[in-house]
């Protein structure tokens, strides 16, 4: 059974489907952000119309900042990289090499029409993936994403290891999650990640935690956890 830590088993149960395998694609080269958005929008429509299967698309982007629908310009400290407006929920986030972005295109009309619980299922997916590396990821009611406690930094310190930002159109999801495997963490200093500026909360990665994890290792963990939580895949 998947260990969801502080996740929700009901959310996991709600979004599992064994009816048809989800397509699983891993991009072998960096993907331009605007091209990725265009592809997702077209694929989401095709899924809604029954012309294409659901999809998980794993990519890396060149260094960029994206502004979600709740982003505040005050949270952009240094636009050293291109800044893109994004239709996903949330605030500013960073994408770049060493970060695994998983775009999640699932049909909630078939899996359960509850966006909040779907986000909880995504958190549970990341938490289960981290468990493969003996990393305890946790969700927070007041902070979207997945967090790890950092007692080495002091009492109450926590770092974000994965961000979540989605959009839902015609009950098909797109955008998704980003897991920090080995990005340049200094690149996050150009923004206030997800609008969270408290000194207690920072950003980390699997390698920053002292784990020699490759992108292939992370992909394997994500795939195994996805199958157990959401159902079968092909590709």
């Amino acid at each position: 059974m998947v260990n969801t830590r502080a996740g929700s088993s009901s959310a996991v149960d709600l979004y599992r489907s064994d009816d048809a395998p989800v397509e699983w694609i891993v991009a072998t080269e960096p993907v331009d952000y605007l091209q990725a958005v265009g592809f997702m929008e077209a694929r989401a429509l095709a899924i809604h119309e029954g012309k294409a299967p659901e999809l998980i698309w794993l990519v890396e982007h060149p260094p960029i900042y994206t502004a979600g629908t709740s982003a505040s310009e005050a949270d952009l400290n240094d636009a050293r990289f291109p800044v893109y407006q994004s239709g996903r929920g949330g605030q500013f986030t960073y994408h770049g090499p060493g970060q695994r972005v998983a775009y999640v295109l699932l049909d909630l009309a078939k899996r359960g029409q509850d966006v909040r619980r779907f986000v909880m299922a995504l958190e549970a997916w990341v938490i289960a993936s981290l468990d493969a590396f003996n990393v305890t990821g946790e969700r927070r009611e007041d902070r979207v994403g997945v967090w790890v406690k950092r007692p080495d930094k002091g009492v109450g310190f926590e770092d974000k290891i994965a961000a979540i930002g989605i959009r839902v159109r015609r009950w098909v999801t797109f955008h998704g999650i980003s897991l920090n495997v080995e990005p340049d963490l200094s690149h996050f200093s150009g923004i206030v990640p997800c609008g969270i500026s408290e000194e207690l909360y920072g950003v980390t990665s699997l390698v920053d935690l002292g784990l020699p994890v490759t992108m292939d290792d992370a992909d394997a963990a994500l795939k195994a956890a996805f199958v157990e939580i959401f159902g079968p895949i092909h590709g």
Side-chain angles (χ1 to χ4, degrees):
M1 180 65 182
V2 167
N3 181 1
T4 61
R5 305 290 188 186
S8 168
S9 59
S10 61
V12 172
D13 294 342
L14 177 65
Y15 284 102
R16 182 177 180 86
S17 173
D18 296 302
D19 292 341
V22 176
E23 187 173 8
W24 187 276
I25 298 176
V26 181
T28 58
E29 299 290 338
V31 177
D32 176 80
Y33 183 73
L34 292 181
Q35 290 180 352
V37 172
F39 173 83
M40 282 192 289
E41 291 184 342
R43 181 62 175 255
L45 177 59
I47 292 170
H48 170 71
E49 293 177 343
K51 297 177 181 178
E54 296 173 305
L55 171 68
I56 301 297
W57 185 28
L58 303 186
V59 309
E60 286 180 87
H61 288 303
I64 59 169
Y65 298 127
T66 67
T69 54
S70 301
S72 168
E73 287 299 320
D75 289 338
L76 181 61
N77 299 327
D78 177 10
R80 70 185 83 171
F81 304 122
V83 179
Y84 294 101
Q85 297 297 316
S86 173
R88 61 164 174 79
Q91 303 183 50
F92 276 104
T93 194
Y94 165 77
H95 295 314
Q99 182 190 72
R100 175 53 84 206
V101 176
Y103 288 129
V104 181
L105 292 93
L106 299 180
D107 188 352
L108 299 193
K110 299 177 180 178
R111 291 177 178 263
Q113 296 176 332
D114 187 324
V115 175
R116 180 176 179 275
R117 291 175 71 186
F118 174 65
V119 171
M120 292 172 65
L122 292 178
E123 291 170 337
W125 175 29
V126 175
I127 289 168
S129 301
L130 292 173
D131 195 48
F133 306 109
N134 295 315
V135 173
T136 302
E138 298 182 0
R139 63 182 302 273
R140 296 289 179 258
E141 290 295 336
D142 59 338
R143 287 179 266 131
V144 175
V146 176
W147 298 79
V148 294
K149 294 178 180 177
R150 297 301 303 268
D152 54 310
K153 292 185 175 181
V155 177
F157 279 79
E158 298 182 352
D159 284 346
K160 192 173 201 175
I161 196 167
I164 295 174
I166 65 166
R167 185 169 185 179
V168 180
R169 183 183 295 161
R170 304 182 189 91
W171 287 112
V172 177
T173 69
F174 54 114
H175 297 282
I177 68 170
S178 57
L179 173 64
N180 296 332
V181 180
E182 192 180 6
D184 185 337
L185 295 180
S186 71
H187 290 179
F188 285 89
S189 65
I191 58 172
V192 178
C194 301
I196 299 172
S197 59
E198 290 88 342
E199 291 185 3
L200 290 175
Y201 308 133
V203 181
T204 191
S205 69
L206 287 166
V207 171
D208 182 54
L209 294 174
L211 300 168
V213 178
T214 68
M215 194 65 76
D216 287 344
D217 296 332
D219 290 351
L222 286 165
K223 179 180 281 191
F226 183 90
V227 169
E228 190 164 352
I229 292 175
F230 290 97
I233 63 173
H234 71 86

